[in-house]
Amino acid sequence: MTVTSHDTGPGAGPGAGKARSSLLYDPKVRALFFQGLVLVSVVVIGWIIIQNTVTNMAAAGLASGFGFLETTAGFGVTWTLIPYSEESSYGYAFVVALLNTLLVSAIGIVLTTLLGFFIGIMRLSKNWLVARMAWVYIETLRNIPLLLQIFFWYFAVLRNLPSPRDSFVIPFGLGVINIRGLYLPSPTMEPGFSLIPIGFVLGLIGAYGLRRWSKRRQARTGQQFPDVLAGLGLIIGLPVLAALAAGVPFTWSYPELRGFNFVGGFSVIPEFVALLLALTLYTAAFIAEIVRAGIQAVSHGQTEAAHSLGLSHSKTLRLVVVPQALRVIVPPLISQYLNLFKNSSLAAAIAYPELMLIFGGVVLNQTGQAIEVLAIVMAVYLTISLLISLVMNIYNRSIMLVER
């Protein structure tokens, strides 16, 4: 404003044009300058901290760098998804622990989503008993600390199961349960087994393509297609057809009691079960409230309009209410997924061999390289959390209301 007054006033001199053209009076230039100054300051401070840390560690005789990842670990892991031995390296132990963390997080996210939606819909039921049961579930589980729930499932429930000789037998010979875990039959692969996962992947691709075709068809003609059932048929049917075409290329290995424990089959340790139960039930209580709030955010007029068109209550909920409620549900749902993934680190309290226990605990204690080990652990949690957010944000963008 000052420059403008000089331009129009009678006292405008020759220096007024110079002041107007000066970069110091350009807000964009000033903003870029100060942002660059802050960025350079942060980089310089970070560099100074790193240099001082390296110098002090060298002066104290402490090892630094990531060469320890190739050193032999020398310790065992109670439960692994890939072959592992004490002769494996610390880097391989990191992979084993990371897979265990990803397994419990992935299964937990799927189960807690299904349970949370189910409880959230129960919470809105007009049946007084059903709605109260959902309310009691939510208020009970979300107000008890997660660590306490992990201890409950592990020490109060699973540690009181019978010994292997007195195991509970699952009906139809599906497996046994005892204090050492859950034992299930497992397939032993034979030549031609690779056709089955290929059929599964093709089934997923086919179900996705069918879903897109069904939506375009409904938008064009108004006719619905049972894409969910047809998609499930592809996902299940193609692997079955592949197995039959390959001559059933696998045999079943059943758990058998030999000595003091069961051998054969596939075993799930009680630490995994306790952690999965606690994470699923605890997070589902929060998701149920998110689902309830999302459904209630949809105008009741939408439901009345759907009923006036002759849609049943279930179709109204599935085709009208839930798609609109998802726009409200998904953003807070992302936070719950991130919480579940990060809360999996509490498994160290019951010795489940996940990332924090194996790499952030055992490896750190054996190598003494706290900075490198914790930097790797923090980088892993940060990276996977950002990936979860990225995927869910992409999904959220795909279901957002597009204004014309």
Side-chain angles (χ1 to χ4, degrees):
M1 295 300 292
T2 306
V3 174
T4 304
S5 65
H6 279 294
D7 289 342
T8 57
K18 183 179 179 180
R20 182 177 57 189
S21 61
S22 175
L23 295 178
L24 292 178
Y25 292 94
D26 190 335
K28 294 182 179 178
V29 174
R30 287 203 305 269
L32 289 174
F33 173 76
F34 285 114
Q35 290 178 32
L37 184 63
V38 171
L39 180 61
V40 171
S41 300
V42 171
V43 171
V44 170
I45 292 173
W47 177 255
I48 292 173
I49 292 175
I50 293 174
Q51 288 297 316
N52 283 340
T53 303
V54 172
T55 302
N56 292 334
M57 290 178 66
L62 299 176
S64 61
F66 296 92
F68 72 95
L69 292 173
E70 299 178 357
T71 306
T72 302
F75 62 86
V77 178
T78 55
W79 197 56
T80 66
L81 296 177
I82 56 178
Y84 172 86
S85 68
E86 295 182 357
E87 286 74 29
S88 301
S89 64
Y90 286 129
Y92 201 75
F94 164 77
V95 175
V96 169
L98 177 60
L99 289 177
N100 286 344
T101 295
L102 293 177
L103 177 68
V104 72
S105 300
I107 297 177
I109 285 175
V110 173
L111 295 181
T112 198
T113 302
L114 297 175
L115 183 61
F117 269 76
F118 181 69
I119 298 296
I121 293 174
M122 282 179 59
R123 183 78 173 83
L124 296 172
S125 174
K126 294 180 180 178
N127 186 305
W128 184 87
L129 180 59
V130 172
R132 287 298 170 183
M133 287 174 61
W135 176 79
V136 169
Y137 171 88
I138 293 170
E139 295 302 330
T140 302
L141 291 183
R142 75 174 179 175
N143 289 310
I144 296 177
L146 176 58
L147 183 60
L148 190 57
Q149 295 190 38
I150 294 175
F151 284 160
F152 169 78
W153 287 110
Y154 184 65
F155 292 109
V157 178
L158 298 178
R159 296 301 296 175
N160 288 317
L161 289 174
S163 64
R165 292 188 179 279
D166 300 320
S167 301
F168 290 127
V169 179
I170 301 176
F172 307 108
L174 296 178
V176 296
I177 303 175
N178 57 52
I179 193 172
R180 295 183 180 176
L182 172 66
Y183 295 84
L184 301 170
S186 65
T188 302
M189 293 182 288
E190 295 180 358
F193 187 84
S194 59
L195 290 177
I196 297 178
I198 292 175
F200 179 72
V201 173
L202 291 177
L204 288 177
I205 296 174
Y208 176 73
L210 188 64
R211 172 68 175 168
R212 291 181 61 85
W213 171 82
S214 172
K215 292 181 68 175
R216 288 197 301 268
R217 177 175 179 269
Q218 183 176 354
R220 189 175 63 254
T221 64
Q223 296 179 348
Q224 295 181 16
F225 183 81
D227 53 345
V228 176
L229 292 177
L232 288 175
L234 287 175
I235 295 173
I236 299 174
L238 286 181
V240 172
L241 290 177
L244 294 175
V248 191
F250 59 85
T251 57
W252 289 102
S253 171
Y254 292 91
E256 297 178 0
L257 182 60
R258 294 179 184 174
F260 298 100
N261 201 4
F262 282 86
V263 296
F266 178 75
S267 64
V268 180
I269 58 176
E271 291 81 4
F272 174 84
V273 178
L275 178 64
L276 183 62
L277 282 172
L279 286 176
T280 300
L281 298 177
Y282 177 76
T283 311
F286 292 91
I287 292 180
E289 281 297 271
I290 293 172
V291 171
R292 180 187 63 81
I295 292 177
Q296 287 183 330
V298 179
S299 170
H300 189 62
Q302 298 284 328
T303 303
E304 294 177 341
H307 287 164
S308 67
L309 292 174
L311 293 179
S312 63
H313 183 69
S314 61
K315 283 189 175 181
T316 299
L317 188 65
R318 182 167 58 88
L319 300 176
V320 178
V321 177
V322 170
Q324 297 183 71
L326 281 177
R327 295 166 188 150
V328 181
I329 292 173
V330 170
L333 195 62
I334 299 173
S335 299
Q336 294 305 320
Y337 289 168
L338 296 179
N339 287 338
L340 187 147
F341 170 66
K342 290 180 287 188
N343 286 338
S344 66
S345 61
L346 292 175
I350 56 172
Y352 173 67
E354 48 78 50
L355 185 62
M356 194 59 207
L357 174 66
I358 297 297
F359 203 71
V362 179
V363 174
L364 189 152
N365 289 331
Q366 288 194 359
T367 62
Q369 295 189 237
I371 295 177
E372 292 85 351
V373 169
L374 293 181
I376 292 174
V377 174
M378 287 191 291
V380 168
Y381 278 105
L382 176 63
T383 303
I384 297 177
S385 295
L386 291 177
L387 286 176
I388 293 174
S389 296
L390 175 65
V391 172
M392 292 302 296
N393 282 325
I394 292 174
Y395 175 69
N396 185 41
R397 198 173 297 117
S398 69
I399 62 173
M400 286 178 62
L401 184 64
V402 180
E403 298 183 359
R404 299 177 179 175

